[in-house]
Amino acid sequence: RGLQRGMFHELPSLWNAWALQVVAVSLNDADSWFGSLLAKIDTKNQPIPVNVYNDRLDESRENATNFYLALLRDFDSSPQVGELRKRMDAR
């Protein structure tokens, strides 16, 4: 937040580059965490009912999206929720 408040006002290009990097890393982190959540959906020998699986899948998607948005909340950048959704759908 210090950069946004002007502590380094002479380095706007540094701030912009760093913000873009945070967006990219946050996207990768949220996608990776979604993969971890998926791995925990059905860990028992007996398969779970489809409706339970779908509920847990939706919850995992929502958690990963909220995590991604939380990572970006202090940055003035456009979240790439559509890209995150594509990545989650590809799993």
Side-chain angles (χ1 to χ4, degrees):
R1 288 185 173 216
L3 288 173
Q4 283 181 321
R5 291 186 188 131
M7 294 175 70
F8 297 101
H9 58 277
E10 67 276 2
L11 301 172
S13 62
L14 176 65
W15 173 253
N16 291 336
W18 186 55
L20 290 174
Q21 185 177 6
V22 167
V23 170
V25 170
S26 298
L27 183 62
N28 289 336
D29 287 349
D31 180 42
S32 178
W33 190 48
F34 177 70
S36 297
L37 293 174
L38 278 183
K40 296 176 183 176
I41 287 180
D42 187 12
T43 58
K44 301 199 172 156
N45 290 337
Q46 291 286 24
I48 60 174
V50 172
N51 65 327
V52 173
Y53 180 85
N54 286 337
D55 288 345
R56 291 180 185 173
L57 179 63
D58 289 342
E59 183 180 338
S60 296
R61 280 188 178 128
E62 183 177 340
N63 287 338
T65 302
N66 289 338
F67 173 67
Y68 175 63
L69 294 173
L71 291 173
L72 298 178
R73 101 177 131 239
D74 292 331
F75 293 88
D76 186 23
S77 58
S78 298
Q80 300 174 356
V81 176
E83 177 62 24
L84 177 60
R85 189 68 145 157
K86 277 192 230 175
R87 291 182 184 194
M88 290 189 291
D89 289 346
R91 291 181 179 262

